[in-house]
Amino acid sequence: MKLLQLTDIHLTKPGETIGDRDPNANFQKALAHAIHLHGDADALVITGDLSDWGDREDYIRLKEMLAPVPFPVHLCIGNHDERDVFLSVFPETSDDNGFVQSVFDLPVGTGIVLDSWGPNSHAGFYCETRRAWLATQLERLEGPVFLFMHHNPVPIGIAPMDQIMLQEAEAFGQLVARHADKIRHIFHGHCHLPLCGSLHGVPFSAPRGTNHAGWPDFGNDRNLSASDLPEAYAVILAGDNSVMVHMVEFGYQGEIRREGSPDYADWDRLTMVR
């Protein structure tokens, strides 16, 4: 099974930039790159911050951009989004409680999109109603289950980012712990950093994002930190017993060289290209 994860696309008014980068152009570039190289993907999930300011025009433009994608697309919302505005364009993504949550079949197991949005805050929230919904899904599914969400459920050790992580992390973690035998992996965004770790034994990961990049500035206790690292998305390869996650830096502009060999017999000091 092959899945694609794009995150933090931050669509905004045409011509506007974020970090001197054009988020609309970069999202289109990411889509084109992913479709060209991974047209055999089983699904694409975009894990939030679909719009930079939650404007309806951004969601309309997103719908138009996604129309040609040749595989199923599933959407999370993030702190930069506006749930009601998003649902006015994508009403089919709502669960029975009005949250942007859904369950979808995969060649290996099941995917679940989670809604960690909350009003007037950049932090993430996963209230009792949402936890009850997720618990119901996890109880009825056989597994493996792959969770997709925007906010990081584990502190990353950088103070400003940890202030805006998932606020109900302990309650969410307890729910994950009860179903750790079914949950294969958690995929999130939000931090604009390549991250990996585990929560109650369940691995999680995040790619950098398709536009502006963060930096792990552990000495910064007040501001969010940015860098000029390349834009990226994730390619996820999963089988019955394994998960492999690649971060593909599609924004890299340098040379890609094919050198060396996996054949040990070709490793020669005089002739091997290094």
Side-chain angles (χ1 to χ4, degrees):
M1 176 176 73
K2 178 186 286 187
L3 307 176
L4 302 174
Q5 180 195 4
L6 275 64
T7 195
D8 295 275
I9 65 177
H10 286 267
L11 299 185
T12 191
K13 292 180 180 179
E16 290 187 352
T17 60
I18 303 173
D20 295 324
R21 297 177 179 182
D22 185 334
N24 299 299
N26 277 325
F27 176 62
Q28 289 180 311
K29 183 179 178 181
L31 270 185
H33 191 276
I35 291 171
H36 174 67
L37 292 177
H38 307 287
D40 59 341
D42 294 293
L44 162 65
V45 185
I46 308 178
T47 49
D49 281 356
L50 308 173
S51 168
D52 195 45
W53 292 102
D55 293 336
R56 193 170 193 272
E57 293 76 12
D58 294 338
Y59 299 127
I60 293 172
R61 194 178 323 110
L62 174 61
K63 197 164 201 173
E64 294 170 350
M65 291 175 171
L66 293 176
V69 176
F71 32 74
V73 179
H74 307 279
L75 302 174
C76 300
I77 57 172
N79 49 290
H80 279 258
D81 293 301
E82 291 292 338
R83 184 190 290 129
D84 290 347
V85 180
F86 170 79
L87 287 174
S88 74
V89 179
F90 293 93
E92 70 281 1
T93 63
S94 175
D95 68 9
D96 293 339
N97 299 305
F99 295 109
V100 181
Q101 304 199 125
S102 60
V103 178
F104 53 97
D105 293 331
L106 290 169
V108 178
T110 306
I112 302 181
V113 165
L114 305 182
D115 181 337
S116 61
W117 183 86
N120 305 314
S121 176
H122 286 302
F125 301 90
Y126 209 66
C127 61
E128 186 176 351
T129 300
R130 281 174 272 193
R131 295 197 303 272
W133 178 90
L134 177 57
T136 298
Q137 311 312 315
L138 292 172
E139 287 162 4
R140 71 177 182 83
L141 293 169
E142 293 184 3
V145 173
F146 300 86
L147 301 182
F148 296 86
M149 61 195 300
H150 181 68
H151 290 85
N152 51 305
V154 173
I156 68 171
I158 299 173
M161 283 304 307
D162 288 343
Q163 292 176 24
I164 57 174
M165 64 174 282
L166 190 69
Q167 299 300 287
E168 290 92 347
E170 181 62 30
F172 179 79
Q174 291 174 3
L175 178 54
V176 167
R178 290 198 298 272
H179 299 278
D181 60 327
K182 291 184 179 180
I183 304 172
R184 179 71 63 80
H185 202 98
I186 301 170
F187 302 92
H188 71 85
H190 187 48
C191 302
H192 295 252
L193 294 168
L195 299 168
C196 63
S198 65
L199 174 62
H200 292 287
V202 176
F204 64 78
S205 62
R208 184 176 293 129
T210 63
N211 192 65
H212 42 302
W215 178 260
D217 188 356
F218 291 95
N220 187 353
D221 60 0
R222 292 184 58 84
N223 305 107
L224 303 177
S225 298
S227 72
D228 294 322
L229 291 167
E231 306 88 340
Y233 63 85
V235 176
I236 301 151
L237 306 174
D240 292 334
N241 301 300
S242 64
V243 176
M244 172 58 68
V245 182
H246 293 265
M247 189 177 75
V248 179
E249 296 178 307
F250 71 93
Y252 171 67
Q253 300 297 313
E255 180 185 2
I256 298 175
R257 299 176 295 277
R258 293 184 175 179
E259 58 186 31
S261 169
D263 190 339
Y264 186 79
D266 291 336
W267 286 66
D268 184 279
R269 283 178 181 267
L270 297 178
T271 61
M272 185 169 180
V273 177
R274 298 290 283 167

